[in-house]
Amino acid sequence: MLVEESAHKYGLILSPFIPLETIRMYFCKSLNPDLLQFISNNYLETLKSLVIVDAITDPSLQYHNPLRYEVDPDPLVLLCWKCKYLTELVLVGYEILEINLIAIAKLRDNLKTFYVAMDCVIDLKYGKFKNDNFIEDEDGEDTIVDYGFCSEQSIRKVCKILRCDNWHPLEKDELPMCVYNYQMPYEEAYLEKILTDQYFN
């Protein structure tokens, strides 16, 4: 029932009968997973570019509960699986599991643009606390979330899959300052890109 209600809601704005190639969302402060599902269900044959940029907070915004990824798949990963013509993916401001970076690259090895922020990459470590110390153990009952780190091994894997020598999650100095500073006008940072989208090639 909830899925049908979401489909109806988004269908009032995005018509499944009109081909959609590009979606850009800037500083919306939230990302509903139902929207990602709607897009992947209705534009799997047309979507080429998905850009989602929000302010980087501490902790980062969530569109999916990473602690449930084994039983509740990441909707962004599912979108990449379905939308076979996707060549540009930008996700800034939202948590993304390090392991899902590899999954996205494998599913869409034709990506020409794949940007994520290093500060939003997370890794889950399982174990248990003993005398205030955390001991890693796959069977442990406790979970620690590591922020802002992507291993060299994962980076090399993504580079190899995408056939790119220098892919990496973007560091703070590689992103517009408005992503980190709420008081800066974000329109200036992305205005050129937005205006470019207004014209057909």
Side-chain angles (χ1 to χ4, degrees):
M1 186 67 178
L2 292 176
V3 175
E4 292 179 358
E5 290 178 359
S6 296
H8 175 71
K9 177 175 64 175
Y10 294 120
L12 296 175
I13 304 172
L14 301 171
S15 172
F17 303 105
I18 300 176
L20 184 66
E21 290 189 356
T22 301
I23 296 178
R24 303 197 191 282
M25 299 171 58
Y26 294 99
F27 300 92
C28 296
K29 298 182 180 179
S30 67
L31 175 59
N32 194 319
D34 291 340
L35 173 60
L36 295 177
Q37 182 177 348
F38 180 86
I39 293 170
S40 61
N41 287 340
N42 292 281
Y43 303 109
L44 64 166
E45 296 290 339
T46 60
L47 188 68
K48 295 181 180 179
S49 173
L50 177 63
V51 176
I52 301 169
V53 177
D54 237 303
I56 293 178
T57 58
D58 184 17
S60 299
L61 297 170
Q62 286 188 348
Y63 64 91
H64 172 256
N65 185 351
L67 299 179
R68 290 180 51 82
Y69 79 98
E70 292 184 349
V71 294
D72 184 16
D74 186 326
L76 186 63
V77 174
L78 291 178
L79 182 146
C80 291
W81 172 52
K82 287 187 174 184
C83 299
K84 57 186 177 182
Y85 297 110
L86 189 70
T87 58
E88 180 181 34
L89 177 60
V90 177
L91 183 71
V92 173
Y94 292 86
E95 290 180 352
I96 185 165
L97 281 168
E98 179 180 349
I99 193 173
N100 282 345
L101 299 176
I102 300 171
I104 289 171
K106 286 183 176 179
L107 290 167
R108 289 276 69 85
D109 62 356
N110 57 322
L111 283 174
K112 297 178 181 177
T113 301
F114 182 25
Y115 294 155
V116 297
M118 179 66 85
D119 284 338
C120 299
V121 178
I122 64 173
D123 184 32
L124 303 181
K125 292 184 177 179
Y126 300 95
K128 53 191 174 185
F129 284 98
K130 187 175 181 180
N131 299 327
D132 293 330
N133 294 317
F134 184 76
I135 303 172
E136 286 194 53
D137 180 0
E138 289 295 330
D139 298 323
E141 298 178 352
D142 298 311
T143 306
I144 283 183
V145 180
D146 269 353
Y147 278 91
F149 176 78
C150 186
S151 69
E152 287 295 327
Q153 182 181 11
S154 293
I155 291 175
R156 286 195 299 268
K157 283 184 179 179
V158 175
C159 286
K160 183 177 180 180
I161 295 168
L162 298 181
R163 298 174 292 279
C164 173
D165 294 333
N166 59 356
W167 181 88
H168 61 279
L170 299 178
E171 300 285 357
K172 184 174 182 178
D173 60 1
E174 297 177 284
L175 290 162
M177 284 307 300
C178 61
V179 171
Y180 287 90
N181 188 340
Y182 293 102
Q183 297 180 348
M184 293 187 67
Y186 58 82
E187 295 92 343
E188 295 180 8
Y190 293 98
L191 184 60
E192 182 178 354
K193 184 66 173 176
I194 294 171
L195 291 176
T196 301
D197 290 340
Q198 308 302 313
Y199 300 96
F200 294 99
N201 293 324

